[in-house]
Amino acid sequence: MLSIGKLSAATGVKVPTIRYYEQISLLPEPKRSGGNQRFYDHKALERLRFIRHSRELGFSLEAIRDLLSLSDNPDQPCAAADAIARAQLAEVESRLARLMALKTELQRMVVQCAGDTISDCRVIEVLSDHAHCLTDHLVGDDALPLAGGSQPLPADAL
Amino acid sequence: MLSIGKLSAATGVKVPTIRYYEQISLLPEPKRSGGNQRFYDHKALERLRFIRHSRELGFSLEAIRDLLSLSDNPDQPCAAADAIARAQLAEVESRLARLMALKTELQRMVVQCAGDTISDCRVIEVLSDHAHCLTDHLVGDDALPLAGGSQPLPADAL
DNA sequence: CTTGAAGCTCTAGTTGCTAGAGCAGTTATG
DNA sequence: CATAACTGCTCTAGCAACTAGAGCTTCAAG
């Protein structure tokens, strides 16, 4: 039996995050000891490790919720898990492609800057006008939804 | 003079987003016409284009705020703008490295899945145990702050 | 002159946490 | 046994960068 602090240390997930996961029902409510303190068993430890590892791989909490419910029913076919993983892979690949275009553009911008005054700074100039760019580092398809529907990858899992 | 709708069409930035930028003082308050409607001049158009392009390149609104104030003072040295751009480049490069590790791991996961039941699904198995992974797709340095201090790149600019 | 699109303000929701206030319970030391 | 220091508890509010919706007003076209 682990206190929440020990569980945190054992998994690398911060204490408030564990309570947050409980709040959104990603973790079940654990037993409480006399003075209302949470105590966790081995199953909870495993589940939290699963969550953490999935987060590291960029899965959203919603995807993880699905993956967990799949892993709770081991007799079902694994096609669903496979589909979630494939979707995540596709997501990562498309982000990779975009990031590589960004990197190219940023590099050009930085390299060309001669270090003079702002008035002839390449950085500012390039930012002012997309025509200076080589690639189409645009976001969407045609309406260019700058920030849009999904935000599957956690900002820090990149 | 452009209405907010025309400005939106001309820049690809959604109407509510324009109002949001005004609210956080990234755009100045525009003139209003008789019935309280916003009207924008050419300067506002340029400024919004600058913002949009910077967002496409992954700069945070805070970084853009700095870049804008730099571009408003063209006599100053451009070292500051250069530094912001270099920081952004470094950020993008580190995200790229992480994303590539993720991609490798996800690919391995997906390829190995034989399509049987969950009980012997590689996807679930790998997620359960980081030891299955080749790379250290871990986030932090030692404390592994799963999600942490900075979130410079907007989730959708990836 | 009427209709429908576009504009207005305001509040609240999204994701995945984090930070802080203000307590109560637990553990280590004197 | 007392006390300090730590860990835990609940609750609310905040972060980025928007998005969605309610409920209202104004404008342009036919």
Side-chain angles (χ1 to χ4, degrees):
Chain A
M1 284 295 187
L2 298 165
S3 72
I4 196 168
K6 307 280 181 191
L7 182 67
S8 170
T11 57
V13 178
K14 289 180 191 154
V15 168
T17 304
I18 296 173
R19 287 196 280 247
Y20 169 70
Y21 287 164
E22 177 184 331
Q23 193 190 307
I24 63 169
S25 304
L26 210 58
L27 285 176
E29 295 185 19
K31 286 159 206 147
R32 302 286 184 125
S33 81
N36 202 31
Q37 297 193 206
R38 292 167 175 85
F39 277 87
Y40 296 91
D41 57 12
H42 188 69
K43 259 188 65 183
L45 177 70
E46 299 243 299
R47 196 175 175 93
L48 187 52
R49 284 212 169 116
F50 184 102
I51 295 171
R52 168 162 161 73
H53 194 206
S54 304
R55 288 292 296 138
E56 280 169 11
L57 289 170
F59 289 89
S60 72
L61 292 183
E62 266 327 289
I64 295 172
R65 201 186 289 280
D66 293 346
L67 289 167
L68 278 169
S69 94
L70 288 167
S71 89
D72 287 343
N73 301 35
D75 298 336
Q76 294 194 303
C78 93
D82 201 49
I84 295 172
R86 279 178 200 278
Q88 178 64 13
L89 177 57
E91 182 68 40
V92 165
E93 280 171 344
S94 97
R95 276 155 200 263
L96 257 178
R98 261 194 55 68
L99 264 191
M100 289 195 291
L102 288 200
K103 181 186 161 188
T104 305
E105 227 46 80
L106 286 168
Q107 269 176 336
R108 263 179 23 102
M109 213 162 97
V110 164
V111 163
Q112 290 182 346
C113 189
D116 219 355
T117 59
I118 289 285
S119 51
D120 45 21
C121 176
R122 278 302 283 177
V123 170
I124 298 291
E125 199 180 329
V126 170
L127 289 177
S128 303
D129 188 357
H130 174 63
H132 289 288
C133 291
L134 286 177
T135 56
D136 251 13
H137 51 73
L138 303 172
V139 181
D141 349 34
D142 47 11
L144 314 170
L146 246 194
S150 60
Q151 55 253 73
L153 252 199
D156 296 74
L158 324 173
Chain B
M1 286 295 185
L2 298 165
S3 71
I4 198 169
K6 307 281 181 191
L7 182 67
S8 169
T11 57
V13 178
K14 287 179 193 158
V15 168
T17 304
I18 296 173
R19 287 195 279 248
Y20 169 70
Y21 286 164
E22 178 185 332
Q23 193 190 307
I24 63 168
S25 305
L26 210 57
L27 285 176
E29 295 186 19
K31 287 160 203 143
R32 302 286 185 125
S33 81
N36 201 32
Q37 298 194 208
R38 291 167 176 85
F39 276 88
Y40 297 91
D41 57 12
H42 187 70
K43 260 187 63 182
L45 177 70
E46 299 242 300
R47 197 174 175 91
L48 187 51
R49 282 211 171 117
F50 184 102
I51 296 171
R52 168 161 160 72
H53 194 205
S54 303
R55 288 294 293 137
E56 281 169 11
L57 289 170
F59 290 90
S60 72
L61 291 184
E62 266 326 288
I64 295 172
R65 202 186 290 278
D66 293 345
L67 289 167
L68 278 169
S69 94
L70 288 169
S71 87
D72 288 342
N73 301 36
D75 298 336
Q76 294 195 302
C78 93
D82 201 48
I84 295 173
R86 278 178 200 279
Q88 178 64 14
L89 178 58
E91 181 68 41
V92 164
E93 280 171 344
S94 97
R95 276 155 201 265
L96 259 177
R98 259 194 59 67
L99 264 191
M100 290 195 290
L102 288 200
K103 181 186 160 188
T104 305
E105 227 47 79
L106 287 167
Q107 268 176 338
R108 262 176 26 101
M109 216 163 95
V110 163
V111 163
Q112 290 182 346
C113 188
D116 219 354
T117 58
I118 289 286
S119 52
D120 44 22
C121 176
R122 277 303 281 177
V123 170
I124 299 292
E125 198 179 331
V126 169
L127 289 176
S128 304
D129 188 357
H130 174 63
H132 289 287
C133 290
L134 286 178
T135 57
D136 250 13
H137 53 74
L138 303 172
V139 182
D141 347 35
D142 47 11
L144 313 169
L146 246 193
S150 60
Q151 56 253 75
L153 251 199
D156 296 74
L158 324 173

